[in-house]
Amino acid sequence: MFKVNEDYLKLPGSYLFSTVGKKFRAYQADHPEKKVISLGIGDVTQPLTPSTISALHSAVDEMGKAETFHGYAPDLGYDFLRNAMAEEYKGRGCDIAADEIFISDGAKSDSGNIQEIFGRDNVIAVCDPVYPVYVDSNVMAGRTGTYDETTGTWSDVIYMPCTEENGFVPQLPERVPDIIYLCSPNNPTGAALKKADLARWVDYANENHAVIIFDAAYEAYITEEDVPHSIFEIPGARTCAIELRSFSKNAGYTGLRLGATVIPKDLASADGHSLHPLWARRHGTKYNGAPYIVQRAGASVYTPQGQQEIRDLVGIYQKNAAYILNGLKEGGYTVYGGINAPYIWMKTTNGMTSWEFFDYLLENAQVVGTPGSGFGPSGEHYFRLTAFGTYENTVEAVERIRRLG
Amino acid sequence: MFKVNEDYLKLPGSYLFSTVGKKFRAYQADHPEKKVISLGIGDVTQPLTPSTISALHSAVDEMGKAETFHGYAPDLGYDFLRNAMAEEYKGRGCDIAADEIFISDGAKSDSGNIQEIFGRDNVIAVCDPVYPVYVDSNVMAGRTGTYDETTGTWSDVIYMPCTEENGFVPQLPERVPDIIYLCSPNNPTGAALKKADLARWVDYANENHAVIIFDAAYEAYITEEDVPHSIFEIPGARTCAIELRSFSKNAGYTGLRLGATVIPKDLASADGHSLHPLWARRHGTKYNGAPYIVQRAGASVYTPQGQQEIRDLVGIYQKNAAYILNGLKEGGYTVYGGINAPYIWMKTTNGMTSWEFFDYLLENAQVVGTPGSGFGPSGEHYFRLTAFGTYENTVEAVERIRRLG
């Protein structure tokens, strides 16, 4: 008599972005005449750049001929891509070897799966608010205790509130966690940890034998000098940090799927178990590599031409971010983020809850965003807008919101 | 102080195919002048067919233009592919709806991840020998008890020996399992369950509220009439079975990565929890969909032209399978499988263990296969050869082995 994983049943409601999508589609179905603009889910809208398109076509041609056909990829990724990423680390002054980089189908899978190599009794700490996958995947693994509907928190999770008061910078928690999730630049607040902030975290993790899972998915949006693009720019990170990398937001690969996880060989638990071979074992057992054609595309991003193209691509979204940030500010709204990130973190008006504000914007401005409370209790009364729309839609969305004000 | 997942540490040695690959490469490095033929890992060698190549090129072009660009895929797969697969089920007389089909990046990921939606205290049953991912992924989840080095078995796993004596057909076990993994046609033995055999399993599962995870990765190789291609051809399967589908061996997508898992909405635990929403939740939380371009390629497989092409492709490997089976039989070897599967299950000679035979063939015939014992204790003294080589290599490998005899 089989039994289901009861930890799955503890998850309240459905995945945030599925709910947003459902509400969006329901409204559109009821009001087919209205043009709804989505600045909700963090999906990009610009096409893939010429280097990627051309790399894909070439790789597809290779797959059509016996002499150049590629079957199963090496478990951990093709050397041509791992080497290209290792070179980038070198250029940033980070000591990361190619064989410490595990190629994957994206940061969502990796950030959901990485908890698996840790014991069930580890205590996690998360920024509040933050990308929901960190908490949800730990709920599914039975690591989070019980859910309190009133506070929207789990009994065994350490929340690090990121609020207006602390400039959205997570503070060292009183209770020491075993696993610390940091996302910088942060999704959803758009706040980024400065070098000194991150160094404090690295020291703290090393002192306490904690591990930091550092999600660097938005590093391409950093514009300020003293904000590190990688945690491995910080001395000491090799013994305490895992880094998650994504091609989704820099190269626009949300529909192509490519990412990587970096685990230094120096990283081990206090009782001497290295994490690198455990993650390699997970890849070897439960994963069969990212498609050859996609890995070839990923490598094209690291050519000089590819680098220029993604700078231009990111530039388009950065322009949108600045437009939203400044436009809403001028309109009298309280807004944060947008400088080192493609996300604008907006305070709701008239004391509305995040979901009330979601409905309000959808009904009155036909603009879809993401309710801040979906990212954690401290996200209540906030709202996330993304810079990933087209410029025209972004401008129109800002105007529509300003008209409400 | 973080702790690792100790269940990972219980796994003996490394993943079977990684070890085979390492030995292969080490021998080749020491003997660069020898031409080693690999009939080991089940990787295909024929290029992708014209329909797939053309679908990929078109989809890549779409991704290069803003109007036709595709970002995040729907969590559970594009309708165009789910509908095409549902049509195929309909044609086979199976009652499966499109929204019961979850598109993924391949059967290895799905067969490794599917155990996650079940509670930790379920007892699994596996064919012995079988594809190692079923057991290994359950080891990693802490579901298998302790490992006995002498017998090569786990204390909490029910093994169903598939041997010469029972025609390699798994028999209903004495102790009733909660989760039953069936792979038919079987990897590695090549034996396939006939309709009556499979009906017995479906009835047994329904009577005992057990769930069958049916791996249909090799269904395209079935040549006999009374061997079902899908477990959903069997009445009653909708309340007890999950089916894993792969594009790797029919369409040659080992390097492209595409698969699907079918979970009927009728399938629920005795205490009333449906599995369909749990798997949907896993997809929504830890996975971001197979690439649009790959799903487009997958849909091309279901066009009349695509179907003809994969029949031809499978035919090439079937010809190899027949050549190995008959060639070795004529050479006096004891061999099984190869009729409904791309695998030939060969008895070792002179009482050699599987790994001794591996070394023996590598050193004396420069042929790589996969040691049967790597698939389970009843695989000892057997050896798996695959039909996925080129015809020329296959012929040469058979001749080399015959010369030893």
Side-chain angles (χ1 to χ4, degrees), chain B residues 113-296:
Chain B
N113 293 331
I114 192 73
Q115 47 76 31
E116 238 186 69
I117 63 172
F118 297 99
R120 202 178 157 111
D121 52 349
N122 288 280
V123 174
I124 68 160
V126 292
C127 294
D128 166 27
V130 84
Y131 182 49
V133 169
Y134 313 149
V135 172
D136 287 0
S137 58
N138 278 287
V139 173
M140 291 159 136
R143 210 175 272 119
T144 58
T146 51
Y147 187 66
D148 183 329
E149 298 244 356
T150 321
T151 59
T153 58
W154 294 88
S155 59
D156 292 355
V157 171
I158 298 171
Y159 293 88
M160 305 181 292
C162 299
T163 60
E164 245 175 328
E165 290 69 42
N166 60 27
F168 303 101
V169 174
Q171 306 297 303
L172 302 180
E174 280 175 44
R175 182 179 170 198
V176 179
D178 304 305
I179 301 170
I180 301 158
Y181 287 85
L182 293 178
C183 179
S184 176
N186 182 271
N187 173 10
T189 67
L193 293 173
K194 308 216 157 164
K195 211 157 233 175
D197 294 326
L198 193 52
R200 203 170 307 124
W201 277 105
V202 167
D203 292 343
Y204 175 81
N206 276 323
E207 280 157 25
N208 292 290
H209 283 292
V211 62
I212 296 173
I213 298 172
F214 187 79
D215 188 343
Y218 305 101
E219 58 82 20
Y221 291 81
I222 293 171
T223 60
E224 292 181 323
E225 265 296 314
D226 58 344
V227 174
H229 288 248
S230 164
I231 195 168
F232 299 114
E233 294 176 37
I234 310 295
R238 282 187 57 87
T239 52
C240 72
I242 291 173
E243 183 158 285
L244 308 179
R245 298 287 306 272
S246 171
F247 285 71
S248 285
K249 307 304 166 70
N250 57 349
Y253 283 17
T254 55
L256 205 56
R257 311 306 315 143
L258 191 64
T261 287
V262 181
I263 307 189
K265 292 189 175 170
D266 307 356
L267 178 52
S269 62
D271 54 350
H273 295 296
S274 293
L275 293 180
H276 187 281
L278 298 190
W279 190 240
R281 186 68 195 234
R282 194 201 180 277
H283 263 253
T285 305
K286 300 195 195 180
Y287 183 58
N288 234 330
Y292 171 73
I293 57 176
V294 176
Q295 294 196 52
R296 274 285 173 211

Side-chain angles (χ1 to χ4, degrees), chain A residues 7 10 112-125 134-146 154-158 175 178-179 181 213, chain B residues 3-5 120 286:
Chain A
D7 293 315
K10 293 180 191 164
N113 293 330
I114 192 73
Q115 47 76 30
E116 238 186 70
I117 63 172
F118 297 98
R120 203 180 157 111
D121 53 349
N122 287 280
V123 174
I124 67 159
Y134 312 150
V135 172
D136 287 0
S137 59
N138 278 287
V139 173
M140 291 158 137
R143 210 174 271 120
T144 57
T146 52
W154 294 88
S155 60
D156 292 354
V157 172
I158 298 172
R175 183 178 169 197
D178 304 305
I179 301 170
Y181 288 85
I213 297 172
Chain B
K3 278 91 35 189
V4 303
N5 178 347
R120 202 178 157 111
K286 300 195 195 180

Side-chain angles (χ1 to χ4, degrees), chain A residues 1-6 8-9 11-16 18 41-49 52-54 56-58 60-66 69-73 75 105 108-110 112-113 115-123 131-133 136-137 140-141 176-179 208-211 218 239 248-249 252-257 267-271 273-275 277-279 281-294, chain B residues 1-6 8-9 11-16 18 41-49 52-54 56-58 60-66 69-73 75 105 108-110 112-113 115-123 131-133 136-137 140-141 176-179 208-211 218 239 248-249 252-257 267-271 273-275 277-279 281-294:
Chain A
M1 201 164 74
F2 74 87
K3 277 91 37 187
V4 305
N5 178 348
E6 305 229 329
Y8 268 59
L9 307 176
L11 283 167
S14 73
Y15 183 62
L16 173 64
S18 311
I41 190 165
D43 201 358
V44 298
T45 48
Q46 293 291 321
L48 297 176
T49 70
T52 286
I53 293 296
S54 142
L56 284 170
H57 278 307
S58 308
V60 168
D61 284 335
E62 286 183 67
M63 296 291 280
K65 293 185 215 100
F69 173 76
H70 284 76
Y72 289 123
D75 282 351
D105 70 332
K108 186 178 176 192
S109 309
D110 282 354
N113 293 330
Q115 47 76 30
E116 238 186 70
I117 63 172
F118 297 98
R120 203 180 157 111
D121 53 349
N122 287 280
V123 174
Y131 182 49
V133 169
D136 287 0
S137 59
M140 291 158 137
V176 178
D178 304 305
I179 301 170
N208 292 289
H209 283 291
V211 62
Y218 304 101
T239 52
S248 286
K249 307 303 165 71
Y253 282 18
T254 56
L256 205 55
R257 313 305 315 142
L267 178 52
S269 62
D271 53 350
H273 296 296
S274 293
L275 294 179
L278 299 190
W279 190 241
R281 186 68 195 234
R282 194 201 180 277
H283 264 252
T285 304
K286 300 195 195 180
Y287 184 58
N288 234 331
Y292 171 73
I293 57 176
V294 176
Chain B
M1 201 165 75
F2 74 87
K3 278 91 35 189
V4 303
N5 178 347
E6 305 228 330
Y8 268 59
L9 306 177
L11 283 166
S14 73
Y15 184 62
L16 173 63
S18 312
I41 190 165
D43 201 358
V44 298
T45 48
Q46 293 292 321
L48 297 175
T49 69
T52 287
I53 293 294
S54 141
L56 283 170
H57 278 307
S58 308
V60 168
D61 283 335
E62 287 184 66
M63 296 292 279
K65 294 184 213 99
F69 173 76
H70 284 76
Y72 289 124
D75 283 350
D105 69 332
K108 186 178 177 192
S109 309
D110 282 355
N113 293 331
Q115 47 76 31
E116 238 186 69
I117 63 172
F118 297 99
R120 202 178 157 111
D121 52 349
N122 288 280
V123 174
Y131 182 49
V133 169
D136 287 0
S137 58
M140 291 159 136
V176 179
D178 304 305
I179 301 170
N208 292 290
H209 283 292
V211 62
Y218 305 101
T239 52
S248 285
K249 307 304 166 70
Y253 283 17
T254 55
L256 205 56
R257 311 306 315 143
L267 178 52
S269 62
D271 54 350
H273 295 296
S274 293
L275 293 180
L278 298 190
W279 190 240
R281 186 68 195 234
R282 194 201 180 277
H283 263 253
T285 305
K286 300 195 195 180
Y287 183 58
N288 234 330
Y292 171 73
I293 57 176
V294 176

Side-chain angles (χ1 to χ4, degrees), chain A residues 98-404:
Chain A
D99 67 355
E100 294 175 322
I101 301 169
F102 299 77
I103 306 302
S104 77
D105 70 332
K108 186 178 176 192
S109 309
D110 282 354
S111 62
N113 293 330
I114 192 73
Q115 47 76 30
E116 238 186 70
I117 63 172
F118 297 98
R120 203 180 157 111
D121 53 349
N122 287 280
V123 174
I124 67 159
V126 293
C127 293
D128 166 28
V130 85
Y131 182 49
V133 169
Y134 312 150
V135 172
D136 287 0
S137 59
N138 278 287
V139 173
M140 291 158 137
R143 210 174 271 120
T144 57
T146 52
Y147 187 66
D148 183 330
E149 298 244 356
T150 321
T151 59
T153 58
W154 294 88
S155 60
D156 292 354
V157 172
I158 298 172
Y159 293 88
M160 304 180 291
C162 299
T163 60
E164 245 175 329
E165 290 70 41
N166 59 29
F168 303 101
V169 174
Q171 307 296 303
L172 302 180
E174 281 175 43
R175 183 178 169 197
V176 178
D178 304 305
I179 301 170
I180 301 159
Y181 288 85
L182 292 178
C183 179
S184 176
N186 182 271
N187 173 9
T189 66
L193 293 172
K194 310 216 156 163
K195 211 158 234 176
D197 294 325
L198 193 52
R200 203 170 306 124
W201 276 105
V202 167
D203 292 343
Y204 176 80
N206 276 322
E207 279 157 25
N208 292 289
H209 283 291
V211 62
I212 296 174
I213 297 172
F214 188 79
D215 188 344
Y218 304 101
E219 59 81 19
Y221 291 81
I222 294 170
T223 60
E224 293 179 324
E225 266 295 313
D226 57 344
V227 175
H229 288 249
S230 163
I231 195 168
F232 299 114
E233 295 176 36
I234 310 294
R238 282 187 58 88
T239 52
C240 71
I242 290 172
E243 182 158 285
L244 308 178
R245 299 287 306 272
S246 170
F247 285 72
S248 286
K249 307 303 165 71
N250 56 348
Y253 282 18
T254 56
L256 205 55
R257 313 305 315 142
L258 191 64
T261 288
V262 181
I263 307 189
K265 293 189 175 170
D266 307 356
L267 178 52
S269 62
D271 53 350
H273 296 296
S274 293
L275 294 179
H276 187 281
L278 299 190
W279 190 241
R281 186 68 195 234
R282 194 201 180 277
H283 264 252
T285 304
K286 300 195 195 180
Y287 184 58
N288 234 331
Y292 171 73
I293 57 176
V294 176
Q295 294 196 52
R296 274 286 173 212
S300 81
V301 168
Y302 290 98
T303 61
Q305 176 65 20
Q307 287 289 296
Q308 184 55 50
E309 289 171 6
I310 67 165
R311 267 194 300 275
D312 294 346
L313 183 62
V314 167
I316 293 173
Y317 298 130
Q318 284 175 320
K319 190 176 151 198
N320 291 347
Y323 191 91
I324 302 172
L325 185 72
N326 299 326
L328 293 181
K329 228 176 233 172
E330 284 162 23
Y333 291 95
T334 306
V335 278
Y336 298 98
I339 292 168
N340 296 304
Y343 296 122
I344 283 81
W345 193 232
M346 176 184 193
K347 224 170 167 173
T348 67
T349 51
N350 299 321
M352 273 187 263
T353 67
S354 300
W355 278 108
E356 283 167 357
F357 196 68
F358 176 92
D359 292 332
Y360 171 75
L361 278 196
L362 179 56
E363 278 157 33
N364 297 291
Q366 288 77 51
V367 171
V368 169
T370 310
S373 57
F375 297 96
S378 297
E380 185 56 281
H381 301 293
Y382 281 90
F383 201 69
R384 190 193 77 172
L385 294 171
T386 86
F388 292 123
T390 61
Y391 183 70
E392 295 66 33
N393 280 342
T394 303
V395 169
E396 192 175 332
V398 170
E399 302 215 335
R400 288 188 195 172
I401 298 173
R402 286 183 64 163
R403 247 180 269 137
L404 298 175

